[in-house]
Amino acid sequence: MNIATPPRTTADAFRDDILRHLTYEIGTDPSHAQVQDWRLALSFAVRDRIVDSWFAATRKTYEAGAKRVYYLSMEFLIGRLLEDGIVNLRLLDEARGALSQLGVDFDTVLSDEPDAALGNGGLGRLAACFLESLSTLGCPAYGYGIRYEHGLFRQSFEGGRQMEAPETWLLQRHAWEFERPEASYPIGFGGSVETKGGTTVWTPSECVFAEAFDTPIVGWQGRWANTLRLWSAKAANPFDLSSFNRGAFAEAAQPEALARTISRVLYPDDTTEQGKELRLKQEFFLTAAALRDILRRFDSEHDDLGKLPAKVAIQLNDTHPAIAGPELVRILHDERGMSFEDAMATATACLSYTNHTLLPEALESWGEGLFGRLLPRHLQIVDRIDSAHAKANPSRSLSVRADHQVKMGELSFVMAHKVNGVSALHTGLMKETVFEELHRLHPDRIVNQTNGVTPRRWLLSCNPRLSGLITETIGEGWVDDLERLKELEPSIEDAGWRQRYADAKRGNKADLAAWMAEAHGLTVDPDAMFDVQIKRLHEYKRQHLNILEAIALWQEIKDAPSGNHVPRVKIFAGKAAPGYFFAKDIIRLINDVAQVINADAATRDFFQVVFLPNYNVTLAERLIPAADLSEQISTAGKEASGTGNMKFALNGALTIGTLDGANVEIREHVGAENFFLFGMTADEVVARRKVENHAAQAIAADPRLKRALDAIKDGLFSPDEPDRYVHIVENLSGPDYFLVSSDFTDYWRASREVDAAYADAETWTRKAALNTARSGWFSSDRTIRGYMSDIWNAESLLTG
Ligand code: OX2
Ligand code: PLP
């Protein structure tokens, strides 16, 4: 069953392929080719080398009659694919050599690729890491998503304020996809439901086509490739000729424009769902197209629908594709004639659901008016599912339908055979809070699968200095067996080796400093501690706690400028949802504070604050290898897992963090002595909220906190508009739901411990290296193996 590693290529063969693509595919003479042309030609040459193993994987899956995994997700934050492909195919030297023969700069070509931002943050990036691990492990799988014309908005700052511009990744040809006009399905909305002769028929009033675009996702060493299939919306009746002939040109183009709206933009909101019709349409569009495709593939191999659960595992990435439950029941029952009970049991055996957040505002629900108008038959089926569940569980008090809403979390739970959380803490909290009653009724359903990250992108490719040292020390087996990083531990005792580890970090920091100077005109000292908080802006992630500490630190240094201060650069990056005004004000505050602090000649040598615009995968790949300190400071109980935290630890940044999400497990793995812990636990957070005036008490007890808040309130950072941030100060002094004030004092203490540790370079490097050596468990290969055995019952088709 082994699929051989594809044959190695040579730089000469590669060069010829690039020239062939440039000439015959792109139609450009090499003497006139621009960077973009070279990039496309190189991408096609790389893609050619993926296609063979892609086809072989598909053939092998059919031959073996194997079970396939289908990962349904509204988001895939895949980022750039060229370097990833080259690294996984192990063609780095050949590709570099070929381009150099052609007189073209390799790095310039790589950085010309747009960053495919078809996701908001952690949830979408996790889906991308999973696809890569599924291919590395040789598990037959498809990712199903939407081919948004515009991904997550492009962020810039004007006067410190976040500006949003549409993201245009498809402006140039997307090198990696294959259009599949033959794989196209009609998707209906609205209309009416009739029951005739015992069968129920839904006749939609509106129809769009979902057309497939396939991107192969290649695993390590090119031994296997799976498919990311993204759906694009097309009008069923694209052009109204009679309007055109009347001269009504805009009207004639309307059907096409309306249909395309469905795949036009990614909703730019990380957690809260906009209760918009378009969002529900997007969710149904993705899900219905995916199910049609899954059943077409199943029907081509099997004629007994009873086998569906043995051949098909469907993972719902959060509740966004939760309509898969009722839609699969509808197809099996209404269209295929299965009894309702069997249809429900079959669907449940195929489906499983991952919960990614407990934030109440993120638990999706739809008004029954909207739901019933768009999906009238599905509303009936939801009610039948609900009554069947109630009948089987007479003691239950909740239901999928309540307060004239359809609750997608409950629906997903009821229609899944397994429900998983994304870290041990989060899974425990799921059992105690949102799904408390459902867990009691179905005690075996909830399982944990702690998140992971792919080591190919997040160490091998993004940090060549460190990965080179690792491979030199322990060989390259770690790349697909990350726990082998443990074998580094004996070397960490060697001072010479530690120096090489420190040199790798220093080199990455120097590169980042040079890039910041060139791209943003910033001057930072690579010997200062790089203290990094990069993630979506959210009150629960507490970027405002970090900036308060920055203000207090600056004030302290100002008080004693000749003191013995540890030089630090605080680096922020992250986008706020366009409608989340408080988060946008935090961005502006950080930028305002940065301006004042960076202009202060008395403190500049010790402390700087930088907010880099437009956080995306590519920027993460630049920042994480250069970080000394990783800020993971969410209010305990609120960050389901985090995945950025794992990437930092793997790349040798030490964490300052709360006992939240996967921080808990990171600390267990790397050792408490190599992690800077602070703050209240999830239980203490709940208790603290009940204390009257908790924020005021915390402020009264800590003069540093009071002074920092006063500086903001007095307009020190916004002299042109002194009241600009009064509402933030009032929030942190009053309700302070996320307990910024109550956690400040302990955060300050831990930050000073960080300073002391950083001042001792030997000790710091040892701790950093131990973080790398002990982070192997956080590979997404481990996570995917867990899903395969505990949830999907799926097998790898790679051996040896
Ligand atoms: C995120 C969670 O906030 C984050 O904690 C987690 O690491 C990530 O998902 C992957 O599991 N939208 N984004 C998330 O949840 C939702 C909903
Ligand atoms: N956004 C991007 C571009 C990322 O690369 C990551 C993770 O590395 C995230 C968001 C998630 O970050 P966090 O886990 O810190 O929320």
Side-chain angles (χ1 to χ4, degrees), residues 122-123 126 270 318 356-357 422 451 540 639-643:
L123 172 143
L126 183 76
D270 197 29
D318 217 274
H356 292 269
T357 181
V422 289
N451 285 166
Y540 85 77
E639 187 71 89
S641 164
T643 48

Side-chain angles (χ1 to χ4, degrees), residues 553 556-568 605-606 755:
L553 181 58
E556 190 125 314
I557 299 173
K558 249 177 125 51
D559 288 344
S562 55
N564 203 6
H565 307 290
V566 177
R568 223 191 242 241
D605 289 345
F606 297 113
D755 284 340

Side-chain angles (χ1 to χ4, degrees), residues 509-549:
K509 292 172 70 177
D511 283 357
L512 177 63
W515 175 81
M516 291 207 289
E518 195 194 310
H520 297 288
L522 297 161
T523 312
V524 298
D525 171 10
D527 286 317
M529 181 202 309
F530 284 9
D531 165 355
V532 183
Q533 186 173 21
I534 48 175
K535 47 183 77 243
R536 289 297 292 251
L537 263 287
H538 203 291
E539 284 164 275
Y540 85 77
K541 291 179 184 274
R542 299 201 294 193
Q543 281 90 355
H544 44 350
L545 175 58
N546 193 347
I547 201 67
L548 273 177
E549 195 254 343

Side-chain angles (χ1 to χ4, degrees), residues 725-740:
Y725 302 113
V726 166
H727 65 292
I728 295 184
V729 176
E730 281 172 354
N731 182 301
L732 299 184
S733 319
D736 193 20
Y737 181 77
F738 296 98
L739 300 167
V740 170

Side-chain angles (χ1 to χ4, degrees), residues 124-421:
R125 184 53 237 175
L126 183 76
C129 283
F130 279 6
L131 289 183
E132 199 272 354
S133 278
L134 281 159
S135 292
T136 291
L137 294 172
C139 174
Y142 284 76
Y144 280 115
I146 294 181
R147 183 176 177 273
Y148 301 106
E149 271 174 59
H150 302 288
L152 187 58
F153 65 88
R154 178 175 295 277
Q155 179 198 53
S156 60
F157 300 132
E158 246 174 55
R161 265 177 301 197
Q162 170 174 295
M163 298 289 136
E164 297 120 25
E167 198 268 344
T168 50
W169 71 297
L170 288 176
L171 216 52
Q172 305 160 11
R173 187 168 162 192
H174 181 47
W176 302 101
E177 67 186 6
F178 293 89
E179 188 171 358
R180 304 285 192 213
E182 74 282 7
S184 165
Y185 302 98
I187 309 296
F189 299 99
S192 56
V193 179
E194 274 176 301
T195 303
K196 280 190 210 140
T199 51
T200 305
V201 179
W202 170 36
T203 314
S205 56
E206 189 190 333
C207 174
V208 298
F209 274 88
E211 191 198 334
F213 287 76
D214 288 349
T215 297
I217 303 289
V218 68
W220 172 233
Q221 296 189 311
R223 298 172 73 207
W224 189 272
N226 284 317
T227 306
L228 170 59
R229 176 161 275 197
L230 300 177
W231 301 104
S232 179
K234 294 256 149 51
N237 189 1
F239 191 71
D240 184 352
L241 193 60
S242 64
S243 303
F244 186 86
N245 290 340
R246 272 192 286 112
F249 303 132
E251 199 179 305
Q254 226 182 17
E256 175 68 15
L258 267 176
R260 279 178 49 192
T261 309
I262 290 186
S263 54
R264 184 107 49 202
V265 285
L266 165 78
Y267 268 79
D269 206 325
D270 197 29
T271 48
T272 61
E273 288 311 329
Q274 278 118 327
K276 297 262 170 63
E277 180 171 320
L278 180 58
R279 172 76 183 188
L280 183 54
K281 273 190 162 176
Q282 287 185 328
E283 293 183 355
F284 183 68
F285 172 77
L286 154 70
T287 308
L291 287 176
R292 286 277 167 218
D293 205 40
I294 292 168
L295 287 169
R296 177 198 50 79
R297 197 168 296 113
F298 177 85
D299 288 337
S300 76
E301 288 186 279
H302 311 281
D303 48 20
D304 173 9
L305 280 169
K307 283 197 196 141
L308 204 63
K311 299 294 171 191
V312 168
I314 302 173
Q315 190 68 32
L316 308 180
N317 197 24
D318 217 274
T319 56
H320 314 151
I323 194 67
E327 172 67 355
L328 187 51
V329 170
R330 187 190 69 79
I331 295 171
L332 296 177
H333 178 60
D334 292 358
E335 295 185 4
R336 302 290 187 98
M338 225 187 233
S339 74
F340 191 87
E341 291 67 29
D342 286 353
M344 211 176 131
T346 306
T348 307
C350 295
L351 292 166
S352 41
Y353 151 58
T354 306
N355 174 281
H356 292 269
T357 181
L358 304 173
L359 297 184
E361 64 270 31
L363 299 175
E364 273 186 301
S365 70
W366 300 105
E368 61 187 13
L370 167 63
F371 196 100
R373 191 158 27 85
L374 224 51
L375 302 168
R377 177 59 181 149
H378 299 79
L379 189 61
Q380 295 174 346
I381 291 174
V382 166
D383 284 340
R384 258 185 100 172
I385 289 170
D386 211 19
S387 9
H389 186 251
K391 209 166 139 198
N393 300 280
S395 69
R396 78 168 201 172
S397 62
L398 56 79
S399 64
V400 175
R401 293 280 302 279
D403 308 324
H404 305 288
Q405 299 278 314
V406 183
K407 299 201 282 178
M408 304 310 262
E410 270 95 27
L411 177 63
S412 304
F413 193 113
V414 167
M415 288 304 299
H417 67 284
K418 291 286 174 201
V419 175
N420 78 285

Side-chain angles (χ1 to χ4, degrees), residues 11-22:
D12 288 0
F14 220 76
R15 178 205 55 210
D16 294 348
D17 283 354
I18 293 170
L19 282 175
R20 186 169 48 80
H21 279 296
L22 187 73

